[in-house]
Amino acid sequence: MPKRYSGEYKQAAIQDCQNGIPIDEVSQTRGIAVSTIYRWLKDCAEEIPNPHYSALLRKKEHLEHVLEVIRLSGLIDEVSLRRRLDILETLHVQHEECNVNELCEALNVARGTFYNHIFRRADRSKYEEEQAQLMLQVQQIFDDSQQRFGAEKIRIILAESGIHVGKKRIRGIMQELGLESIRENAKRDYKKRQEHQRKNLLDQNFTASRQNEIWVSDITYFKIKDYGIYFCVIMDLFSRKIVGYRISRKCSTQLVSSTFRKAFRDRGNPSDLTFHSDRGPQYVSGTFHTLLKKCGIKQSFSKSGCPHDNAVAEAFFSTFKREEAYRHEYSSEADFRKSVDAYVDFYNYVRPHQTLAYKAPARFEELYGKEETQDL
């Protein structure tokens, strides 16, 4: 049988709600079901219209319509699941007032998927920490041997110290760090690398006559809390457009290689291309040189100790830090990545460039494409 309440008790509950006390709190304090309180409020509004309650109802209906529009637009689903999981993780840490159910429902992610992401992140962080320590040890042994030892000898030395790691894993670390042990053909390879490393094909002539004629690249370092982030970019010298970029906690050959591969694919595998950079170990490594050679790319290097030879790429990082990075206090790597994504988009499509007659890089390329079509 339904529980009955006196008229005075009912009125007191309604008055609490009208005074701004949350309905959940009124329900717990007075021992009344939430649905019952809503029914009383609705009946009360019909009998004696209350402006405060009517405004709340209108606001509730408005928010429901806004959420429905977002759902129908499908915009949230267009964001990759990995990106949504990273955003959820950041919100979960920074906004304790939001529970997991609300966060997952807002971004259309299953709770189980989110929890699995958190657990995997913890496992991954532990592995990355171990991997970083192992990389330091491999580098140390390699340097102590004056760059003589290969993966097998390094494995043996590690095993003598009680660290048992497979030869394959050590070889992968050496490739990532760009470490090459001495071989019988070391002299020939050395001369070959030196021949390519000494060439500065630009000689501070930062002009190009067409798209995908010359790309310049560089890496910068930015510290977030207690760890560092490396930001690699590749710019088309003709339009000053950022054609590729990537962020990593490791400044490795892999960072440069993966950035180049994506840019090369996104720009349609261009031919007759020159790639210019400084002489950082990531760029002069045999692994990266082999990749460029396989793609038919000519490689150009700045002279040692001469940052002006790569001034255009250096200038981009200076602009990025002044206009974006130094204006924020980043709470996490995900927060920094979001900032970089937004700024590169702004730089390519919105920001006027003096060298381009105050046109944005993307617009400059668009006009150049139209001129080529008219010439045909």
Side-chain angles (χ1 to χ4, degrees), residues 225-267:
K225 292 189 175 181
D226 58 346
Y227 57 87
I229 293 291
Y230 295 92
F231 177 20
C232 175
V233 299
I234 298 176
M235 175 190 289
D236 190 318
L237 198 56
F238 173 76
S239 64
R240 301 301 200 266
K241 184 177 183 180
I242 303 301
V243 297
Y245 67 98
R246 191 171 291 270
I247 297 165
S248 173
R249 293 197 186 186
K250 301 175 184 177
C251 189
S252 62
T253 301
Q254 175 61 28
L255 170 62
V256 175
S257 298
S258 59
T259 306
F260 171 80
R261 285 193 188 94
K262 187 175 188 309
F264 190 69
R265 183 172 61 251
D266 291 346
R267 298 287 275 187

Side-chain angles (χ1 to χ4, degrees), residues 176-199:
E176 185 172 351
L177 294 174
L179 307 180
E180 296 182 11
S181 62
I182 294 175
R183 300 185 299 271
E184 292 181 0
N185 57 354
K187 185 175 181 180
R188 186 194 66 188
D189 289 347
Y190 172 79
K191 288 185 176 181
K192 187 176 181 181
R193 288 198 304 272
Q194 289 295 85
E195 179 186 353
H196 288 280
Q197 290 173 9
R198 293 195 182 102
K199 288 185 178 180

Side-chain angles (χ1 to χ4, degrees), residues 300-311:
S300 172
F301 294 91
S302 303
K303 292 188 288 290
S304 296
C306 188
H308 296 298
D309 282 355
N310 201 21

Side-chain angles (χ1 to χ4, degrees), residues 131-145:
Q131 184 76 350
Q133 185 63 31
L134 183 59
M135 290 175 73
L136 290 174
Q137 293 169 321
V138 169
Q139 180 76 63
Q140 185 62 52
I141 295 172
F142 184 77
D143 291 341
D144 290 345
S145 73

Side-chain angles (χ1 to χ4, degrees), residues 325-348:
Y326 291 152
R327 299 171 58 200
H328 298 277
E329 291 293 336
Y330 297 108
S331 59
S332 64
E333 180 180 345
D335 193 18
F336 181 75
R337 287 177 179 274
K338 182 178 179 181
S339 177
V340 169
D341 290 343
Y343 185 79
V344 171
D345 189 71
F346 166 79
Y347 185 90
N348 281 342

